[in-house]
């Protein structure tokens, strides 16, 4: 669409040409809406009346017709699905593509809206169909599977060898059919986002031992044995137990299927950087090089004739990958043709949470105190409030605190004097303290003198506060990372993987990032390049002028970076060229290189 | 600990009924009585007085979860342990009942050679507690 409009600009005054383009626009089967940068509709083709229920839409705000539309980040190109209910109660599913262009130097937002109601209905019918079919298939299979199993067991009478062989074949194939249906159902569920996960903290080894034991018999038919050759005790992971077992079962059965006979399949559990890695290693033909890139795709087995000889749907690894990723882990493999193949997956190690630890708020303003209290409680802490220096000192004497916040302006004592006194006590010499409402100059003075202290303007928000708290309470040997990224999914993935050996502060907007880099020290700052309201270039300059001028800067971007910016940062990673896994590996290598470079706080 | 002897089973598929009945009879010493749906089971349960109830989840007339709720409301039978039998995909649907008296779930299709052992295991692990 942007091209048509630009052409229009070149043909100003050319009425015939304008009419031509207008005719095309009016007769598109999609709905086209153009708004100014604030969302006020400037133009829409007539088709739009079908979904807007009115002819009077020009000069009105688009959210009047499409409720909940995100007008904050209008200038960013995105695509999303929407549901609207028309006046006649008809429900429509719309797919909206939004893009921005400049016309006469002012930004225009173009919405191309397609009615995808029919497609949605079809999709939902497909899901229903598959789930009904699967259930209906399963019922007769229960009888077949049961009957054949009972007959072949011999409890109803011994069978002649040939009969037994045929019954076994039928029995094994009924099991295969059951697995196939389970795979298809799982696959559908994942695709529809309907797979449920029940997270709990589990110790990893018992899960692995149980799964290995359960699959022993399966391996025997291939003459293969499983052996756990390296284990790791007292490690907790947060997963859905059944799904974890499903993934490991898939890797174990693949390893057995594709092993040379009489080989051993090794299971190795070890700590890898921030995560716990479980590897399943087998010796066999390996994965052909040209197939390695397709291994996690659907319906894939290296040689389609293999599907028949080895069994399986070719969905297993695809399902495993989705499950592992949904549970915040990563999965991968290494393979040497005609030798060893290793499949592994990793989940972050869970450390017992810091719930019910105490935090002291020393603040005379009740509203601020209450506000801080709510924030800390939300983060899972016990909170005490002291409204003056005297109360604070009493609290500190009687209880253990993980952290204290301190307002410099207190009714009975200057906060800085209180700070001196706190530091002179043995018990509170090293207590992390967050100073609130001092000036930046004061802060730098305090910091050099008083150990673990951070400073915060009075107008803070929770996003910053959480980062500051983790940063402040962190051990010195952990690395502090600031991650500025407006895509929350990316933020989540990165931080959940890095959190075991680094403190990650997540910030979604440039404005917040600019504030925070002036306040806290970081070892590494990871930046997205493009944000809804600009690029990170200005932020880089701010960082270079701030207390973080020595932090390592990494730009993680989907866009080409100009050479000026590139020269200012330490590492550029292109989003389109690397997968999330590779990105994480890059970051981890980078972290390892920088370990211990700069002790963060004091 | 009481010994497991009598099992009452509700299942609407005649073929599955036969397979389960034959399996239980040939692989264990349990007595088993079969009902065609939940409603029938509720009518039979007091007379038969089973040690254990096996319930299919999807049945006409009255499904497994509804039957279970009805059992819970009858003081005479509410202490009889219940095991659900269900397809793997539906295990999440019965998870919620686990805390309220369901002592286990057996997934269908089941392995006939394992069925009695599974029932025995669930019985032992839950009844002793």
């Amino acid at each position: 669409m942007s091209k048509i409009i630009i052409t229009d600009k070149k043909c100003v005054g050319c009425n015939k040409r304008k009419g031509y383009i207008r005719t095309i626009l009016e007769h598109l089967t999609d709905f086209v809406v153009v708004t100014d940068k604030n969302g006020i509709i400037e133009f829409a083709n007539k088709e739009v009346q079908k979904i807007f229920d009115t002819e009077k839409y020009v000069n009105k705000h688009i959210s009047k017709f499409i409720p909940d539309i995100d007008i904050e980040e209008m200038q960013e190109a995105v695509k999303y699905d929407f549901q609207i209910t028309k006046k006649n109660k008809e429900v429509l599913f719309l797919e909206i593509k939004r893009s921005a262009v400049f016309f006469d130097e002012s930004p225009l937002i173009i919405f191309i809206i397609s009615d995808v109601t029919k497609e949605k209905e079809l999709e939902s019918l497909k899901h229903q169909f598959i789930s009904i079919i699967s259930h209906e298939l399963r019922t007769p299979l229960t009888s077949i599977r049961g009957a054949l199993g009972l007959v072949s067991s011999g409890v109803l009478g011994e069978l002649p060898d040939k009969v037994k062989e045929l019954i076994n074949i039928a029995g094994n194939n009924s099991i295969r059919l059951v697995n196939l249906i389970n795979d298809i159902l799982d696959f559908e569920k994942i695709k529809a986002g309907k797979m449920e996960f029940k997270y709990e903290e589990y110790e990893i080894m018992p899960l692995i031992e149980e799964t290995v034991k359960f699959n022993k018999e399966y391996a025997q038919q291939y003459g293969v044995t499983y052996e756990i050759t390296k284990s790791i005790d007292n490690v907790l992971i947060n997963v859905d137990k059944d799904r974890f077992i499903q993934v490991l079962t898939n890797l174990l059965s693949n390893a057995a299927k594709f092993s040379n006979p009489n080989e051993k399949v090794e299971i190795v559990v070890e700590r890898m950087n921030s995560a716990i890695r479980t590897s399943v290693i087998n010796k066999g033909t390996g994965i052909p090089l040209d197939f390695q890139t397709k291994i996690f795709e659907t319906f894939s087995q290296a040689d389609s004739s293999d599907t028949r000889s080895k069994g399986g749907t070719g969905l297993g690894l695809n399902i495993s990958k989705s499950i592992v990723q949904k549970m915040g882990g990563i999965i991968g493999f290494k393979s040497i043709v005609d030798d060893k193949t290793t499949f592994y997956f990793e989940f972050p190690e869970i450390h017992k949470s810091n719930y019910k630890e105490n935090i002291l708020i020393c603040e005379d303003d009740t509203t601020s105190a209450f506000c801080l209290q709510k924030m800390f409680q939300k983060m899972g802490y016990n909170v005490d409030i002291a409204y003056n220096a005297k109360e604070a000192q009493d609290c500190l004497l009687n209880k253990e605190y993980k952290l204290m916040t301190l307002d410099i302006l207190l009714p009975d004592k200057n906060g800085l004097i209180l700070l001196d006194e706190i530091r002179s006590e043995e018990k509170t010499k090293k207590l992390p303290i967050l100073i609130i409402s001092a000036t930046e100059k004061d802060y730098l003075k305090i910091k050099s003198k008083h150990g673990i202290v951070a400073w915060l303007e009075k107008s803070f928000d929770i996003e910053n506060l959480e980062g500051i708290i983790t940063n402040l309470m962190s051990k010195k040997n952990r690395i502090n990372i600031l991650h500025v990224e407006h895509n929350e999914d990316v933020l989540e993935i990165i931080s959940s993987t890095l959190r075991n050996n680094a403190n990650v502060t997540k910030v979604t907007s440039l404005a917040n990032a600019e504030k925070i880099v002036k306040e806290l020290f970081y070892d590494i700052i990871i930046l997205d390049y493009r944000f809804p309201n600009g690029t990170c270039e200005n932020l880089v300059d701010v960082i270079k002028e701030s207390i973080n001028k020595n932090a390592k800067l990494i730009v993680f971007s989907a866009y080409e970076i100009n050479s000026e910016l590139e020269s200012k940062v330490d590492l550029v990673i292109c989003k389109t060229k690397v997968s999330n896994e590779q990105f994480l590996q890059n970051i981890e290598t980078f972290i390892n290189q920088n370990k211990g470079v700069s002790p963060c706080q004091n | 600990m009481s010994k497991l002897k009598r099992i009452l089973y509700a299942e609407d598929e005649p073929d599955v009924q036969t397979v389960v009945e034959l399996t239980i009879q040939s692989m264990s010493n349990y007595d088993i009585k079969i009902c065609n749906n939940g409603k029938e089971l509720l009518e039979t349960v007091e007379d038969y007085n089973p040690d254990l109830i096996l319930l299919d989840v999807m049945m006409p007339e009255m499904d497994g979860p509804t039957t279970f709720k009805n059992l819970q409301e009858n003081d005479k039978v509410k202490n009889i342990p219940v095991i659900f039998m269900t397809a793997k995909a539906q295990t999440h649907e019965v998870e919620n009942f686990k805390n309220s008296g369901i002592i286990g779930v057996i997934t269908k299709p089941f392995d006939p050679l394992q069925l009695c052992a599974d029932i025995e295991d669930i019985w032992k692990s839950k009844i002793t507690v």
Side-chain angles (χ1 to χ4, degrees):
Chain A
M1 283 317 300
S2 55
K3 273 192 187 143
I4 294 180
I5 286 170
I6 289 157
T7 320
D8 196 17
K9 187 183 172 185
K10 283 181 187 159
C11 295
V12 175
C14 179
N15 284 337
K16 196 174 172 192
R17 189 79 181 151
K18 268 187 172 173
Y20 172 78
I21 288 163
R22 186 164 272 268
T23 310
I24 294 174
L25 271 174
E26 292 293 4
H27 291 86
L28 281 177
T29 48
D30 280 344
F31 315 110
V32 180
V33 181
V34 181
T35 74
D36 67 7
K37 65 179 192 307
N38 300 315
I40 304 296
I41 297 176
E42 293 185 351
F43 167 84
N45 64 355
K46 285 208 182 82
E47 286 289 309
V48 152
Q49 292 173 17
K50 285 186 190 161
I51 50 169
F52 284 0
D53 279 333
T54 174
E55 292 168 24
K56 294 173 189 158
Y57 41 75
V58 174
N59 288 334
K60 293 199 172 132
H61 198 276
I62 186 153
S63 63
K64 203 166 179 302
F65 307 104
I66 306 172
D68 308 325
I69 197 158
D70 188 3
I71 54 161
E72 288 295 308
E73 299 178 353
M74 280 287 213
Q75 294 182 36
E76 195 192 349
V78 284
K79 180 179 145 187
Y80 43 86
D81 288 350
F82 246 99
Q83 192 182 333
I84 59 165
T85 311
K86 288 175 55 169
K87 276 182 192 149
N88 62 6
K89 302 272 184 258
E90 189 187 352
V91 176
L92 292 180
F93 290 95
L94 305 176
E95 182 191 272
I96 302 183
K97 287 187 216 110
R98 188 184 68 199
S99 52
V101 291
F102 279 85
F103 181 69
D104 271 358
E105 287 172 12
S106 56
L108 292 176
I109 319 294
I110 304 165
F111 296 86
I112 304 198
I113 306 169
S114 319
D115 182 352
V116 291
T117 313
K118 281 218 172 70
E119 286 85 339
K120 284 275 174 199
E121 282 169 1
L122 271 176
E123 212 172 283
S124 130
L125 267 177
K126 191 185 91 187
H127 291 315
Q128 277 178 34
F129 175 74
I130 288 176
S131 86
I132 290 169
I133 283 289
S134 306
H135 183 262
E136 292 306 313
L137 285 174
R138 216 192 289 260
T139 308
L141 265 171
T142 304
S143 314
I144 298 173
R145 161 96 177 81
L148 290 171
L150 205 52
V151 173
S152 73
S153 74
V155 291
L156 303 174
E158 275 306 313
L159 300 172
D161 282 351
K162 279 189 180 159
V163 176
K164 195 170 179 178
E165 193 188 331
L166 287 173
I167 294 286
N168 280 342
I169 290 173
N172 287 338
N173 279 284
S174 72
I175 294 170
R176 205 171 133 187
L177 207 45
V178 171
N179 292 336
L180 201 117
I181 292 169
N182 287 341
D183 272 3
I184 291 173
L185 269 179
D186 277 345
F187 181 68
E188 270 303 305
K189 267 194 189 164
I190 289 174
K191 284 276 166 299
K194 285 190 179 149
M195 185 172 267
E196 291 174 45
F197 291 87
K198 281 184 62 185
Y199 291 100
E200 261 177 71
E201 288 177 8
Y202 294 97
E203 209 187 305
I204 192 164
M205 284 321 294
L207 282 185
I208 288 172
E209 283 154 12
E210 185 187 335
T211 317
V212 169
K213 198 174 137 200
F214 191 74
N215 284 282
K216 224 165 97 183
E217 215 170 301
Y218 178 87
Q220 275 166 10
Q221 59 174 310
Y222 296 96
V224 172
T225 49
Y226 296 129
E227 192 181 325
I228 301 175
T229 52
K230 196 171 169 193
S231 61
I232 182 167
D233 287 333
N234 301 319
V235 163
L236 292 177
I237 50 170
N238 187 27
V239 290
D240 178 316
K241 183 183 171 188
D242 292 340
R243 299 298 173 197
F244 179 92
I245 291 175
Q246 182 179 356
V247 171
L248 183 56
T249 299
N250 178 240
L251 297 190
L252 287 174
S253 64
N254 281 348
K257 262 194 282 190
F258 297 99
S259 273
N260 297 328
N262 304 319
E263 280 288 357
K264 202 168 70 180
V265 169
E266 273 185 75
I267 295 104
V268 173
V269 187
E270 61 200 330
R271 208 174 250 115
M272 283 300 269
N273 298 329
S274 56
I276 303 302
R277 174 181 287 200
T278 307
S279 305
V280 177
I281 307 157
N282 79 334
K283 281 200 172 138
T285 48
I287 303 162
L289 275 180
D290 57 346
F291 184 67
Q292 294 199 355
T293 51
K294 289 187 274 184
I295 193 89
F296 287 111
E297 284 175 16
T298 47
F299 305 110
S300 57
Q301 278 195 0
D303 176 354
S304 58
S305 64
D306 255 16
T307 317
R308 243 167 293 136
S309 65
K310 303 287 187 191
T313 52
L315 285 173
L317 280 175
N318 182 270
I319 293 169
S320 291
K321 186 179 181 186
S322 303
I323 291 175
V324 169
Q325 286 179 338
K326 289 261 181 206
M327 297 198 297
I330 57 173
I331 187 168
F333 71 96
K334 291 175 277 200
S335 182
I336 305 165
V337 176
D338 286 323
D339 192 20
K340 261 195 344 194
T341 297
T342 305
F343 272 88
Y344 61 85
F345 57 87
E346 294 178 8
F347 290 105
E349 182 178 355
I350 300 298
H351 299 280
K352 277 288 171 201
S353 42
N354 51 1
Y355 272 59
K356 297 303 157 208
E357 280 178 314
N358 299 315
I359 283 185
L360 178 65
I361 296 171
C362 183
E363 168 73 63
D364 68 320
D365 175 40
T366 44
T367 322
S368 302
F370 181 72
C371 176
L372 278 167
Q373 183 189 25
K374 286 280 152 245
M375 286 183 186
F376 284 122
Q377 281 172 347
K378 208 174 148 198
M379 289 159 67
Y381 292 100
N382 238 344
V383 181
D384 291 334
I385 301 175
Y387 292 102
N388 54 52
K390 168 94 183 47
E391 283 180 26
Q393 282 173 315
D394 285 349
C395 286
L396 289 171
L397 204 64
N398 295 320
K399 238 179 179 176
E400 293 295 325
Y401 291 94
K402 182 88 179 166
L403 176 129
M404 149 175 206
T405 74
L406 177 61
D407 185 351
I408 292 296
L409 303 165
L410 289 171
D412 58 339
K413 198 178 274 179
N414 182 323
L416 293 175
I417 296 172
L418 175 62
L419 188 61
D420 271 337
E421 291 173 6
I422 292 172
R423 283 294 181 243
S424 64
E425 292 286 332
E426 189 56 38
K427 189 181 171 193
T428 50
K429 214 174 198 167
K430 286 181 176 162
L431 176 74
I433 297 176
L434 176 64
I435 308 277
I436 294 180
S437 85
T439 63
E440 187 167 0
K441 217 170 103 199
D442 277 344
Y443 164 59
L444 290 172
K445 210 162 61 197
I446 300 165
K447 195 188 77 65
S448 55
K449 201 174 151 196
H450 290 285
I452 312 167
V453 172
W455 165 85
L456 195 64
E457 265 180 276
K458 210 143 198 180
S459 58
F460 48 82
D461 60 35
I462 186 134
E463 189 183 52
N464 287 4
L465 185 69
E466 286 206 44
I468 288 167
I469 301 303
T470 13
N471 184 305
L472 195 54
M473 292 194 299
S474 64
K475 291 178 203 133
K476 267 185 254 170
N477 60 358
R478 281 163 72 96
I479 287 196
N480 288 311
I481 298 181
L482 175 67
H483 188 190
V484 191
E485 161 76 61
H486 80 287
N487 182 331
E488 293 190 7
D489 291 339
V490 176
L491 267 185
E492 221 21 78
I493 294 170
I494 304 295
S495 72
S496 69
T497 314
L498 292 177
R499 71 179 160 222
N500 281 325
N501 63 356
N503 307 307
V504 185
T505 307
K506 298 175 279 183
V507 175
T508 49
S509 77
L510 287 170
N512 273 342
E514 282 184 19
K515 249 195 232 170
I516 210 166
V517 294
K518 289 179 195 158
E519 293 167 5
L520 287 168
F521 288 92
Y522 288 95
D523 302 293
I524 296 177
I525 301 177
I526 305 171
L527 302 164
D528 187 12
Y529 178 65
R530 192 169 289 253
F531 288 81
N533 52 354
T535 69
C536 70
E537 280 164 278
N538 191 39
L539 177 60
V540 169
D541 293 337
V542 172
I543 293 170
K544 290 291 174 197
E545 294 290 305
S546 76
I547 49 176
N548 279 303
K549 56 178 178 283
N550 294 325
K552 299 282 175 193
L553 297 184
I554 301 174
V555 175
F556 182 39
S557 167
Y559 302 87
E560 285 293 321
I561 306 284
N562 63 47
S563 54
E564 193 197 332
L565 178 61
E566 204 170 338
S567 68
K568 288 182 193 164
V569 303
D570 299 281
L571 182 66
V572 176
I573 303 175
C574 186
K575 272 183 188 172
T576 47
K577 287 183 191 148
V578 298
S579 63
N580 279 343
E581 287 96 329
Q582 286 168 314
F583 173 65
L584 283 171
Q585 274 163 15
N586 272 328
I587 299 281
E588 282 183 359
T589 328
F590 203 77
I591 289 176
N592 291 334
Q593 285 166 359
N594 286 283
K595 239 173 203 164
V597 168
S598 61
C600 43
Q601 288 299 340
N602 37 328
Chain B
M1 177 181 125
S2 57
K3 207 169 156 47
L4 175 56
K5 181 70 188 143
R6 294 149 77 83
I7 299 176
L8 187 59
Y9 174 41
E11 163 69 60
D12 62 310
E13 280 286 326
D15 290 345
V16 180
Q17 289 177 359
T18 313
V19 174
V20 171
E21 192 175 16
L22 268 174
T23 304
I24 300 264
Q25 282 168 357
S26 48
M27 308 288 288
S28 76
N29 297 320
Y30 310 143
D31 289 332
I32 182 161
K33 187 176 175 66
I34 291 170
C35 310
N36 291 310
N37 56 55
K39 227 171 167 181
E40 232 181 88
L41 183 132
L42 291 178
E43 288 160 10
T44 322
V45 64
E46 280 187 48
D47 283 346
Y48 187 69
N49 192 24
D51 302 311
L52 176 74
I53 293 171
L54 281 184
L55 271 183
D56 185 26
V57 170
M58 284 174 86
M59 289 182 289
E61 297 276 342
M62 189 187 282
D63 66 9
T66 317
T67 313
F68 177 68
K69 271 182 210 147
N70 276 294
L71 287 168
Q72 291 287 290
E73 283 160 16
N74 181 345
D75 284 343
K76 286 181 192 160
V77 295
K78 74 172 183 197
N79 292 325
I80 303 173
V82 175
I83 296 178
F84 270 133
M85 289 187 73
T86 180
K88 183 176 168 253
Q90 276 128 19
T91 47
H92 276 286
E93 284 173 23
V94 290
E95 277 293 325
N96 302 334
F97 292 96
K98 266 198 169 165
N99 299 324
S100 55
I102 293 291
I103 61 167
V105 177
I106 288 176
T107 54
K108 287 205 277 189
F110 56 87
D111 177 352
L113 306 183
Q114 270 296 315
L115 182 65
C116 295
D118 286 348
I119 292 176
E120 185 82 33
D121 281 351
I122 296 176
W123 173 264
K124 272 188 191 152
S125 65
K126 301 293 173 179
I127 294 301
T128 40
V129 174

